[in-house]
Amino acid sequence: MSILRKLLITILVLALWEALGAAGILNPMLVGTPSMIARAAMKDGTTFLIASRFTLVEILSAGAIAWTLGISAGVIIGARATSALIISPLLSAMIAVPLVVLYPVIVAWTGIGPTSKIIYGAATGFFPIALTTISGVSAIDRRFVDMARAMGANTAQVIFQVMARLALPAIMSGLRIGSSLLIIAVVQSEMLSATDGLGFWISYHRSLFNVGQVYFGICLVLVLAAGLNGLLNYCERRLRLQTA
Amino acid sequence: MNTTPHHVVDVSHLSKTFGDGKTAFRALNDVSLQIKQGRFVSVVGPSGCGKSTLMQMISGLVPTTQGNIQIDGKTITGPQPEKIGVVFQDALLLPWKTALENIEFPLSLGDTPVAERQERARNMLKLVGLKDVGHRYPHELSGGMRQRVAIARGLVRNPSLLLMDEPFGALDEQTRTRMWGELLRIHEQSGTTILFITHSLVESVFLADEVLVMASNPGRIIERIEVDLPRPRDLKLLGSERLGNLRNHIWDLIAKPDDEIDA
């Protein structure tokens, strides 16, 4: 019933959009129409699918790097009160630096291929992930550390099996923020200079006034973002079941 | 220093100072104590008398300033999980592990095979009378059950000494009374030597063979009291005159040094 209602609302909105465009109330050159998007999909669908895969690989690679480095750096730094105290402000300051100004430099180093997008995306995702992990780990109940040490845990076991696990809710929220910024960064950098990818094709068709293609590309970016968000939600639900 | 082998715990001339120079604070001064195999010794004293510091040093979590701690004839320099089991004021169970997995935790840190781990954890669960709730998570257990799981976790490596730091302090009175009965039974069945830290006078007398009374500034032992109540102990003893007299005696010792109302 609710799925049916959602479908009905979607169709209604699309019909309204089409009608307003056809009636000239909304300028199709600015906001497109559903039929223009459909025609673009028929014409350039294959190109866009290949581009989606290209972008997805970049996002997943950047994500793997940002998650791994962000979580491990955050956990190790956060485990000791002194290192958390010294390094957190440094990282907070670096978050304020608009990394996009470094993008031309990254392109100069690694070319306009996917590598530069992966580095830029990973760097963008790293800081919020590391920072929230640090604050999460340094905020855990330290009595658990005493308990684990008394039970015979070594430093690595204390940090990874107890502290990181207790900080999981904070780490999850860091992953959520970091991952969405990372997706933005990858698509944005494809728009600046690239050889393929959704950002590249959106930018390309915009310069040719192919409004349908531009909106089709935007839709695909949204699908990617929603898919990755769904994956995170799934992970979070699984973990919450265990931590409740 | 002659350590007779049947002394599980041998603490000699232990002192602890925090900070240095003018701000130095003597938390513990020249504390000595010996505990024989299988004995239940409680330490009681006002807050700030250093009893928790004493327990942290014996568990190896805090270094000593002076003196020596030996468990089974071996000097303590760091945590000794195979010799000492620890139970804290709060159960401190890992929330993502079931009761059984929490009891397994100390074994999982070493290289005990999984099957043996589970077997031993299940036996401990049975010992603390919780064999049917092994699959439950900590938030699904009552406060008393959580503390019993913590006791089982403290005992799972079969330690020479079980160190308990005000383990029932956070429980309500009825649950605490029930836990006293449980602990006496567990002590009897396991035969483990227990060092029990508490601020409850009745608790220190009712459970123990010997009570060490501490005073603060600096933290020190001011009297050792042999508790000659018969074992096994019945909860009815709690209302007895003998227990009441011992309790009053300890109160006189603690209240004497400074008769402040806000104590």
Side-chain angles (χ1 to χ4, degrees):
Chain A
M1 186 62 202
S2 86
I3 292 174
L4 205 70
R5 193 183 298 167
K6 275 180 196 166
L7 201 71
L8 215 68
I9 290 171
T10 313
I11 291 170
L12 215 69
V13 169
L14 289 176
L16 194 70
W17 184 4
E18 185 71 43
L20 288 175
I25 298 170
L26 289 176
N27 184 349
M29 281 312 287
L30 294 180
V31 296
T33 59
S35 61
M36 284 164 82
I37 297 173
R39 253 177 281 128
M42 303 282 236
K43 186 160 172 281
D44 290 321
T46 327
T47 315
F48 272 101
L49 279 183
I50 293 169
S52 301
R53 212 191 64 170
F54 194 83
T55 303
L56 184 65
V57 169
E58 286 171 349
I59 289 173
L60 292 179
S61 314
I65 296 170
W67 282 36
T68 315
L69 292 184
I71 294 174
S72 24
V75 166
I76 291 166
I77 294 166
R80 289 189 181 280
T82 39
S83 61
L85 216 63
I86 295 166
I87 298 175
S88 279
L90 284 176
L91 288 179
S92 302
M94 284 177 82
I95 271 194
V97 176
L99 279 175
V100 67
V101 300
L102 291 178
Y103 182 64
V105 183
I106 300 172
V107 170
W109 290 344
T110 60
I112 59 168
T115 315
S116 52
K117 282 81 201 163
I118 293 171
I119 294 176
Y120 176 62
T124 307
F126 170 80
F127 291 101
I129 295 175
L131 214 61
T132 32
T133 305
I134 291 174
S135 69
V137 170
S138 42
I140 63 152
D141 186 344
R142 293 272 155 174
R143 293 174 309 163
F144 279 100
V145 175
D146 277 349
M147 182 278 290
R149 284 183 56 211
M151 302 295 153
N154 59 35
T155 309
Q157 286 170 326
V158 168
I159 292 178
F160 292 104
Q161 291 186 30
V162 178
M163 300 180 92
R165 202 63 178 68
L166 284 169
L168 208 66
I171 295 176
M172 284 308 297
S173 75
L175 290 180
R176 193 169 282 284
I177 299 165
S179 304
S180 34
L181 290 177
L182 181 147
I183 294 173
I184 296 170
V186 167
V187 175
Q188 178 194 27
S189 61
E190 283 175 348
M191 290 180 171
L192 290 174
S193 62
T195 52
D196 202 343
L198 286 174
F200 171 77
W201 286 110
I202 291 171
S203 182
Y204 172 83
H205 285 289
R206 183 202 45 81
S207 63
L208 299 179
F209 297 101
N210 290 334
V211 181
Q213 274 83 345
V214 170
Y215 277 94
F216 183 52
I218 291 172
C219 290
L220 290 176
V221 172
L222 293 179
V223 169
L224 273 189
L228 291 169
N229 193 47
L231 189 75
L232 262 175
N233 281 341
Y234 173 77
C235 293
E236 206 169 7
R237 253 199 320 277
R238 285 292 302 268
L239 290 166
R240 188 161 299 152
L241 275 182
Q242 285 178 44
T243 40
Chain B
M1 218 174 303
N2 57 337
T3 341
T4 32
H6 58 278
H7 276 159
V8 171
V9 181
D10 190 341
V11 173
S12 54
H13 308 292
L14 189 67
S15 296
K16 178 71 188 178
T17 307
F18 288 107
D20 47 16
K22 284 194 186 108
T23 57
F25 170 67
R26 195 92 167 149
L28 220 54
N29 191 45
D30 197 22
V31 168
S32 295
L33 64 100
Q34 279 90 33
I35 306 176
K36 280 185 196 151
Q37 162 70 38
R39 294 261 287 180
F40 194 129
V41 174
S42 61
V43 175
V44 68
S47 33
C49 72
K51 52 189 192 294
S52 280
T53 308
L54 175 67
M55 116 107 203
Q56 284 178 315
M57 285 196 286
I58 295 178
S59 64
L61 292 171
V62 168
T64 60
T65 306
Q66 274 158 28
N68 185 286
I69 302 166
Q70 290 192 337
I71 306 294
D72 276 347
K74 191 169 175 286
T75 301
I76 294 291
T77 51
Q80 296 285 329
E82 68 287 345
K83 289 194 182 300
I84 305 172
V86 187
V87 179
F88 298 87
Q89 176 165 7
D90 286 300
L92 298 178
L93 302 179
L94 300 173
W96 60 91
K97 286 180 186 282
T98 63
L100 197 70
E101 287 164 350
N102 265 290
I103 300 172
E104 277 179 55
F105 176 67
L107 298 172
S108 74
L109 297 167
D111 45 14
T112 316
V114 178
E116 189 195 330
R117 238 193 257 168
Q118 289 173 343
E119 167 82 16
R120 284 168 70 177
R122 260 194 293 273
N123 287 340
M124 284 303 130
L125 211 53
K126 218 179 293 168
L127 175 70
V128 298
L130 291 176
K131 68 176 186 333
D132 297 327
V133 300
H135 59 280
R136 289 206 211 159
Y137 287 93
H139 71 275
E140 300 168 321
L141 300 171
S142 69
M145 283 173 162
R146 280 201 285 268
Q147 207 50 275
R148 277 192 277 174
V149 172
I151 293 171
R153 181 179 62 187
L155 287 171
V156 75
R157 293 186 82 159
N158 200 14
S160 314
L161 173 70
L162 185 66
L163 208 51
M164 306 183 83
D165 186 13
E166 302 190 21
F168 308 144
L171 302 176
D172 65 83
E173 192 185 347
Q174 291 165 32
T175 309
R176 196 185 312 147
T177 309
R178 223 167 277 132
M179 289 299 289
W180 289 344
E182 277 295 298
L183 182 61
L184 286 172
R185 184 185 58 74
I186 291 166
H187 176 233
E188 206 168 298
Q189 279 181 20
S190 65
T192 312
T193 312
I194 296 180
L195 182 58
F196 188 98
I197 287 165
T198 179
H199 57 250
S200 156
L201 309 181
V202 172
E203 186 172 75
S204 71
V205 174
F206 178 63
L207 296 174
D209 301 307
E210 182 183 349
V211 181
L212 305 176
V213 185
M214 290 187 73
S216 49
N217 274 327
R220 62 199 186 277
I221 295 175
I222 51 173
E223 189 156 321
R224 289 151 212 276
I225 297 166
E226 199 62 32
V227 181
D228 53 358
L229 301 171
R231 284 193 189 272
R233 288 187 191 161
D234 192 276
L235 289 174
K236 288 197 186 73
L237 258 175
L238 285 167
S240 73
E241 203 187 330
R242 285 163 79 188
L243 188 136
N245 288 341
L246 282 169
R247 181 224 168 264
N248 290 343
H249 176 57
I250 295 171
W251 174 243
D252 287 340
L253 289 168
I254 290 174
K256 215 180 285 169
D258 40 4
D259 250 333
E260 287 171 48
I261 298 164
D262 63 12

